[in-house]
Amino acid sequence: MAEQTASGYIQHHLQNLTYGQLPNGDWGFAHTAAEAKAMGFWAFHVDTLGWSLALGLIFILLFRMAAKRATSGQPGALQNFVEVVVEFVDGSVKDTFHARNPLIAPLALTIFVWIFLMNLMDLVPVDFLPMLAAKLTGDPHLFFRVVPSTDPNATLGLAFSVFALIVFYSIKVKGIGGFLAELTLHPFSSKNIALQILLIPVNFLLEFVTLVAKPISLALRLFGNMYAGELIFILIAVMFGSGMFLLSTLGVALNWAWAVFHILIITLQAFIFMMLTIVYLAMAHEDNH
Amino acid sequence: MNINATLIGQAVAFFVFVLFCMKFVWPPVITALRERQKKIADGLDAANRAARDLELAQEKVGQQLREAKTQAAEIVEQAKKRATQIVDEARDQARTEGERLKAQAQAEIEQELNSVKDALRAQLGALAVTGAEKILGASIDQNAHAELVNKLAAEI
């Protein structure tokens, strides 16, 4: 992309391949950022969806393969690996989540591995896959982002799903009354009924913000970390594009260093997302108010 | 960076993956894990039991060995005692037998001596009679002087 300016390069890298209704009424891919924005809500980021589905399928098929051949005897290499992950997730769930729910552990496993794989795409050099896609489609200006977790839609999708589960299990365990009581009767409560009624709006405001902050913080934490990480990779990639020997060499070193550091970040972010999901769901199951 | 329906697609995919994972991935893996844990625990238990059994068996073997040794020692002791006893008995027997034989021989000797003495006495009597006959020149009535002769012989 030598003909582009640095800012153009960066902006190009931060634009998803969007499929939606074009201004003229036809459905198709947006060719500019403005066009993508104009598509409104009913548009799809094909790159995000495609990569996350592909990575999810890799996870599911890999683990299914291991699960099918799972034996209590001597495990093979794949089973060993899968067991290590499963054991780790199971341990994390057992430490935090004390109610009985067969959904939580598989949920945590899916979140951990899937998010890890999505984050892992960040370690693929920033131009490899977009250039490959551009070559394959013949469109040199094709928007193509390969790290689904740098798209807030992906992280919000996950976080809202977790939020739905939080609300669902809160109501299931405590009943609608219990859930509402949790939202309105704490943290301030009084023996005096009139005062208690007065306190309800205050409590509701506090508890509602707490509740809504859960999915938002989940989604934005993951998104923010991955977006920032990707941005730095892109900035380093701009250094390669500068054409100056010293700057390019520095870029190689920086890219390597940042990638090594990023291995920690992507694992940590996947773990944090999983852990917080478990914690939130554990709180939804606990009737301690 | 637009919020759009990608969100919904992502959520749907997420639920499908979670359900699949819950139905087809988690149970077999966790079952295998639990089974292996149980197997290992059983194996360790069995090993412990075997070790304990071995210890017991070794103790038993040691005890039996000790018992056998004591018994053997006892038997040897008894045998020695018995041997001394037999030797003593044999010695005693031999002594008595020897004494008996000696006494018998002495008795026989005495008897022989007496009979020889008697025979000698008788012969001496006869010789005396014959001498007296020769001296007297006359025959002495055997019957009349038999008592005298016998008396004489007894005196010799």
Side-chain angles (χ1 to χ4, degrees):
Chain A
M1 312 259 160
E3 77 272 15
Q4 280 185 316
T5 61
S7 74
Y9 173 80
I10 292 169
Q11 273 168 12
H12 186 267
H13 264 286
L14 294 179
Q15 178 59 45
N16 284 96
L17 177 64
T18 315
Y19 182 85
Q21 203 169 19
L22 293 165
N24 61 15
D26 291 341
W27 285 76
F29 289 108
H31 296 289
T32 62
E35 240 176 55
K37 205 174 181 65
M39 283 173 177
F41 184 76
W42 289 108
F44 295 95
H45 290 164
V46 178
D47 43 5
T48 299
L49 281 174
W51 277 112
S52 57
L53 278 175
L55 293 167
L57 282 175
I58 288 175
F59 153 63
I60 281 294
L61 293 179
L62 195 70
F63 275 60
R64 175 63 189 155
M65 208 155 77
K68 240 180 177 163
R69 291 197 230 128
T71 157
S72 59
Q74 195 183 17
L78 176 65
Q79 194 190 341
N80 230 334
F81 164 74
V82 167
E83 275 177 9
V84 168
V85 179
V86 166
E87 192 107 82
F88 167 70
V89 172
D90 195 44
S92 304
V93 172
K94 283 218 169 85
D95 284 345
T96 315
F97 189 86
H98 302 297
R100 270 194 57 81
N101 189 335
L103 176 73
I104 304 303
L107 175 79
L109 177 69
T110 311
I111 287 177
F112 181 64
V113 181
W114 197 23
I115 292 183
F116 176 77
L117 287 175
M118 290 199 281
N119 293 350
L120 190 64
M121 294 306 291
D122 220 359
L123 293 181
V124 179
V126 282
D127 272 323
F128 272 23
L129 293 168
M131 275 190 167
L132 186 69
K135 286 272 181 303
L136 286 179
T137 56
D139 176 6
H141 291 292
L142 186 76
F143 298 119
F144 202 65
R145 291 178 76 191
V146 294
V147 193
S149 47
T150 56
D151 182 350
N153 289 297
T155 60
L156 277 172
L158 289 174
F160 283 151
S161 306
V162 171
F163 180 67
L165 286 174
I166 293 173
V167 174
F168 173 75
Y169 281 115
S170 287
I171 293 176
K172 194 181 165 199
V173 172
K174 300 160 195 163
I176 291 205
F179 180 55
L180 289 179
E182 198 179 78
L183 277 180
T184 52
L185 301 182
H186 296 273
F188 304 112
S189 60
S190 166
K191 293 260 191 298
N192 187 330
I193 290 182
L195 192 61
Q196 178 69 73
I197 287 169
L198 270 178
L199 283 173
I200 281 177
V202 183
N203 285 333
F204 181 73
L205 192 69
L206 284 171
E207 288 291 320
F208 185 74
V209 168
T210 309
L211 187 66
V212 171
K214 285 174 184 175
I216 302 291
S217 67
L218 262 186
L220 293 187
R221 180 182 303 107
L222 178 60
F223 161 71
N225 274 283
M226 299 323 295
Y227 187 77
E230 198 204 17
L231 202 58
I232 289 175
F233 275 123
I234 294 170
L235 289 173
I236 292 169
V238 170
M239 293 168 83
F240 302 148
S242 69
M244 280 182 277
F245 175 72
L246 209 64
L247 211 55
S248 298
T249 315
L250 183 64
V252 171
L254 276 178
N255 200 55
W256 180 82
W258 184 242
V260 169
F261 181 57
H262 222 58
I263 294 172
L264 174 70
I265 294 182
I266 62 176
T267 319
L268 194 66
Q269 286 305 320
F271 175 69
I272 289 174
F273 202 108
M274 175 193 84
M275 214 52 220
L276 284 177
T277 304
I278 299 171
V279 169
Y280 290 155
L281 284 168
M283 284 160 74
H285 279 74
E286 269 161 23
D287 210 356
N288 55 1
H289 280 295
Chain B
M1 201 101 41
N2 313 308
I3 299 297
N4 57 30
T6 308
L7 179 80
I8 299 169
Q10 192 77 15
V12 171
F14 177 57
F15 272 107
V16 172
F17 286 145
V18 169
L19 285 179
F20 187 90
C21 182
M22 187 172 101
K23 283 265 179 293
F24 302 111
V25 173
W26 190 264
V29 174
I30 212 78
T31 312
L33 272 174
R34 298 278 167 278
E35 260 172 34
R36 185 166 329 113
Q37 269 172 353
K38 204 177 158 314
K39 264 190 194 172
I40 291 172
D42 288 353
L44 287 176
D45 270 3
N48 274 343
R49 255 202 316 278
R52 225 173 23 243
D53 284 356
L54 182 65
E55 213 169 279
L56 281 179
Q58 271 172 346
E59 212 168 276
K60 212 170 167 185
V61 165
Q63 202 181 334
Q64 276 179 344
L65 206 64
R66 270 198 306 281
E67 265 172 30
K69 269 184 187 161
T70 334
Q71 257 178 357
E74 249 170 51
I75 289 170
V76 167
E77 190 70 21
Q78 269 180 353
K80 270 185 190 161
K81 222 188 267 174
R82 181 93 188 101
T84 358
Q85 203 182 348
I86 287 172
V87 168
D88 281 355
E89 268 174 17
R91 196 182 290 144
D92 283 356
Q93 234 173 10
R95 197 176 289 138
T96 11
E97 183 70 13
E99 269 164 16
R100 198 176 58 78
L101 282 175
K102 208 163 100 185
Q104 203 178 355
Q106 265 176 347
E108 256 171 38
I109 289 167
E110 217 147 291
Q111 205 179 344
E112 205 107 318
L113 195 67
N114 284 341
S115 67
V116 167
K117 269 183 185 169
D118 283 353
L120 273 176
R121 220 174 266 139
Q123 271 181 4
L124 195 65
L127 268 177
V129 171
T130 322
E133 266 176 4
K134 290 252 170 85
I135 296 165
L136 290 174
S139 95
I140 300 165
D141 186 2
Q142 278 274 341
N143 294 331
H145 302 284
E147 198 185 332
L148 186 72
V149 172
N150 281 347
K151 207 170 152 192
L152 200 71
E155 271 171 23
I156 298 171

